[in-house]
Amino acid sequence: MHLKPLYSVRFRYPADWSVAMTGEAGREERHFYLAEGTCSGQLRGTFRGANHPRRRTDLTFTPDFQGVIETDDGAVVMFDYQGYGRAYPPGRRQIVTAAWHTTADDRYKWLNDAICVGAGEVRMPDLPRDQVKQMDIELVLDISELMWEPPAD
């Protein structure tokens, strides 16, 4: 097996809402983020989506992220990301995802049965924590296709 790089996405959350619940077992949060950004690589274009993660009591986010990539060449590619937004390292938290895509465009139909993975980070601005707004935070994610290689005989 190996990974074939497909695209990189850079985005921000221009709008967000959250609810925190505290109980005997600790604190859990639910969030809803609208995302906007760009893709570069094999898929180039505009990135839009909605992420509605849960934040566990250990501060790990569990992204549940769906949206669309409108490519510069006119295709519409929907995506679904699931994974973990780890609470470390501070200031540049790690993101790991599994990713699926759906499209009707013949140029990208090969994505419809591809299993992809992503890795990246949450980039915090160089500001005091109490001055950081959600829109100031940039997320960067590199998506690759998981490729099977037959064993050498």
Side-chain angles (χ1 to χ4, degrees), residues 41-70:
Q42 267 189 271
L43 274 72
R44 257 187 304 262
T46 303
F47 177 92
R48 290 186 185 90
N51 187 6
H52 42 104
R54 174 179 150 242
R55 189 169 198 181
R56 303 183 320 201
T57 58
D58 65 358
L59 303 181
T60 297
F61 277 98
T62 57
D64 190 358
F65 201 160
Q66 293 80 37
V68 65
I69 299 165
E70 294 177 293

Side-chain angles (χ1 to χ4, degrees), residues 13 19 21 26-31 33 51-64 82-90 93-97 122 129 139:
Y13 293 127
V19 174
M21 298 162 288
R27 176 185 167 109
E28 182 176 317
E29 300 172 6
R30 295 294 299 196
H31 297 263
Y33 300 115
N51 187 6
H52 42 104
R54 174 179 150 242
R55 189 169 198 181
R56 303 183 320 201
T57 58
D58 65 358
L59 303 181
T60 297
F61 277 98
T62 57
D64 190 358
Q82 306 287 319
Y84 298 107
R86 298 172 174 152
Y88 53 84
R93 299 184 315 259
Q94 299 173 0
I95 307 167
V96 291
T97 66
V122 177
R129 184 82 177 138
L139 292 87

Side-chain angles (χ1 to χ4, degrees), residues 8-14 33-39 47-49 51 65 79 81 95 121-123 134-141:
S8 294
V9 61
R10 299 172 81 93
F11 63 95
R12 296 181 190 274
Y13 293 127
Y33 300 115
L34 296 178
E36 293 182 355
T38 59
C39 291
F47 177 92
R48 290 186 185 90
N51 187 6
F65 201 160
F79 66 84
Y81 300 158
I95 307 167
E121 65 184 4
V122 177
R123 295 184 177 169
Q134 191 63 44
M135 183 59 189
D136 298 328
I137 300 168
E138 181 180 49
L139 292 87
V140 178
L141 193 57

Side-chain angles (χ1 to χ4, degrees), residues 7 43 66-69 71 75-81 99-105 108-114 116:
Y7 64 92
L43 274 72
Q66 293 80 37
V68 65
I69 299 165
T71 66
V76 172
V77 179
M78 293 188 171
F79 66 84
D80 188 335
Y81 300 158
W100 297 266
H101 301 85
T102 307
T103 185
D105 192 291
Y108 297 100
K109 276 188 178 177
W110 55 272
L111 282 168
N112 289 342
D113 61 2
C116 299

